[in-house]
Amino acid sequence: MKAVCWNGANDVRVQSVPDPTILNPRDAIIKITSTAICGSDLHIYGGYIPTVQQGDIIGHEFMGEVVEVGKGVNNLKIGDRVVVPSTIGCGNCHYCQRDMWSLCDNSNPKGWIEEKLFGNITSAIYGYSHMLGSYAGAQAEYIRVPFADVGVVKVPPDLPDEMLLFISDAIPTGYMGAELCDIQPGDTVAVWGCGAVGQFAMISAYMMGAEKVIAIDRFPERLEMAKKFAKAEVINYEEVNAGEALKEMTGGRGPDACIDAVGLEAHGVGLEDFYDQTKQKLRLETDRPHVLREMMVACRKGGTLSIMGVYGGFVDKMPFGAAFNKGLTFRMGQMHGQKYMHLLLQMVLDGKLDPSFVVTHQLPLEQAPHAYHIFQQKKDNCIKVVLKP
């Protein structure tokens, strides 16, 4: 089959690789009909995620058709149309039983690598390094799905892929980001990053009772999308100081909650951005924590920081004194997709949510190198790319 393979920093290629096969009774093989490039895929593309090896198949946001099932999968049949969460959970362990699927004890066969870095293991993720399971990714024609009896959601045949695909990752990530804020009626929520996850976090924040949502980004087309579809007020941080603007927009108090929908490649301005960019390039710092710093200073006293952007290692120059003295609450983590997918699917079916607005580009799988380039460089007003095998 054809698949998108990582071959070094900023170098992905569409290559011929062996077809996946059933390895365990709870496996299924999915023929992929749509797969998206996620913002966190750019961290792999740029070479910032450890234990990614040349030739690895990448990608984790996908849907398709069941073409083969293992003997232990009784709730799926050949021909079913399905969406699959990006994080892999076994369904049986302490964490899966408590709906904390991305903390699964059993899905990551390479957890010993992760344990050395993080002190414990978490769930595996499709196409996201050997540290996180060594599973082949979804930017391919077919994929093996383990624990398919608990990690797959059947969807109806009459809706286009673009309305269903993001239930795999971007929508539950944004929704969980808003949920972690514990939003109360009248709250103001600030969201850093107006990509797909940020857009869905803003929409979710309003669903949960926020009175005002403020979007922070630097690309006019993304800010315009946040205004049009998420009904957010916007700040372009290259035009004004975001922290000062947030004070002014909240009567000097600061947002009640802040959501990081950016992650380890955050951009800043001036000397701070130069410092982070340089240290990351020299591998003296794994992550660029500009958004984290800004949220810690901007959030109101006693507020909440919800961190959904991916971080992979170590950060530097954090204003932790601000977080401590202001009594901030930090909540974060990989999304628990299986917890939210049925709820979000029902919202789509009921007409309460149409996520297809984030799709700006649809390209054949063969054009993946071009797709990654324009997505990374924000060219051609690119916000979300869907690849079609």
Side-chain angles (χ1 to χ4, degrees):
M1 69 173 183
K2 299 295 183 183
V4 180
C5 300
W6 187 82
N7 282 274
N10 303 312
D11 180 6
V12 296
R13 305 172 194 173
V14 179
Q15 300 173 202
S16 293
V17 300
D19 291 347
T21 57
I22 296 287
L23 299 179
N24 297 300
R26 296 174 68 188
D27 288 352
I29 304 297
I30 308 297
K31 179 182 179 181
I32 294 171
T33 57
S34 290
T35 179
I37 301 178
C38 180
S40 56
D41 286 327
L42 292 183
H43 307 326
I44 288 181
Y45 181 63
Y48 298 116
I49 301 297
T51 72
V52 180
Q53 298 177 6
Q54 185 175 4
D56 284 350
I57 305 170
I58 57 178
H60 56 267
E61 192 166 32
F62 66 102
M63 64 178 295
E65 178 185 332
V66 177
V67 295
E68 189 176 354
V69 293
K71 294 179 180 179
V73 180
N74 299 314
N75 59 333
L76 297 175
K77 64 181 185 302
I78 293 172
D80 281 344
R81 188 186 189 206
V82 296
V83 178
V84 183
S86 58
T87 52
I88 304 170
C90 72
N92 299 322
C93 71
H94 171 89
Y95 295 98
C96 290
Q97 288 289 307
R98 287 159 178 78
D99 262 346
M100 295 186 286
W101 295 81
S102 68
L103 304 179
C104 177
D105 275 333
N106 298 323
S107 66
N108 185 353
K110 298 292 182 68
W112 61 270
I113 303 175
E114 189 183 25
E115 192 168 17
K116 289 183 177 180
L117 183 61
F118 298 153
N120 215 317
I121 65 172
T122 62
S123 75
I125 301 176
Y126 296 100
Y128 218 82
S129 81
H130 293 270
M131 177 177 71
L132 292 176
S134 297
Y135 288 94
Q139 290 165 12
E141 293 179 302
Y142 296 88
I143 189 170
R144 179 177 75 92
V145 173
F147 306 110
D149 54 326
V150 295
V152 169
V153 174
K154 290 187 279 190
V155 295
D158 55 343
L159 292 176
D161 280 10
E162 292 68 39
M163 289 186 67
L164 302 167
L165 170 61
F166 307 116
I167 298 170
S168 169
D169 184 274
I171 308 177
T173 302
Y175 189 89
M176 177 171 158
E179 185 179 77
L180 293 182
C181 292
D182 190 25
I183 295 169
Q184 302 300 311
D187 276 359
T188 295
V189 179
V191 179
W192 275 256
C194 295
V197 169
Q199 301 287 342
F200 296 134
M202 296 173 216
I203 292 170
S204 299
Y206 275 127
M207 288 179 178
M208 296 177 192
E211 182 175 306
K212 181 189 295 185
V213 175
I214 303 170
I216 300 107
D217 207 300
R218 62 186 173 127
F219 293 100
E221 63 274 13
R222 293 174 178 244
L223 292 168
E224 185 60 35
M225 181 178 281
K227 284 198 292 186
K228 180 177 180 181
F229 292 98
K231 310 304 179 187
E233 299 181 28
V234 300
I235 295 172
N236 186 327
Y237 68 79
E238 289 190 334
E239 297 177 355
V240 298
N241 180 285
E244 291 301 318
L246 284 168
K247 277 188 177 181
E248 183 176 339
M249 297 167 77
T250 58
R253 190 175 72 167
D256 299 284
C258 300
I259 299 175
D260 176 357
V262 180
L264 67 86
E265 291 184 80
H267 290 269
V269 292
L271 183 60
E272 180 189 351
D273 189 52
F274 176 77
Y275 172 87
D276 282 335
Q277 296 269 3
T278 302
K279 288 202 73 173
Q280 192 180 51
K281 287 184 173 72
L282 294 174
R283 297 299 189 262
L284 299 174
E285 180 179 34
T286 58
D287 304 359
R288 302 199 299 261
H290 171 75
V291 167
L292 293 180
R293 296 188 193 112
E294 198 158 69
M295 293 200 311
M296 292 164 89
V297 174
C299 193
R300 71 157 169 85
K301 292 176 288 186
T304 299
L305 306 189
S306 171
I307 304 164
M308 300 307 297
V310 169
Y311 288 86
F314 301 92
V315 296
D316 195 5
K317 297 292 187 291
M318 300 298 291
F320 209 78
F324 172 79
N325 286 288
K326 291 164 68 176
L328 300 182
T329 296
F330 286 68
R331 303 184 72 184
M332 65 196 82
Q334 297 283 0
M335 65 94 187
H336 307 307
Q338 296 86 336
K339 176 180 178 180
Y340 302 106
M341 290 175 68
H342 289 283
L343 169 67
L344 296 169
L345 172 61
Q346 195 59 51
M347 288 184 183
V348 173
L349 297 180
D350 291 343
K352 296 178 181 178
L353 176 64
D354 181 355
S356 61
F357 73 89
V358 299
V359 179
T360 54
H361 293 71
Q362 294 193 48
L363 297 169
L365 188 72
E366 290 77 8
Q367 292 187 29
H370 169 68
Y372 266 92
H373 176 69
I374 63 171
F375 187 43
Q376 182 197 52
Q377 300 299 318
K378 309 298 187 288
K379 293 187 174 182
D380 194 26
N381 294 336
C382 182
I383 294 176
K384 190 69 171 179
V385 183
V386 175
L387 300 173
K388 297 284 189 176

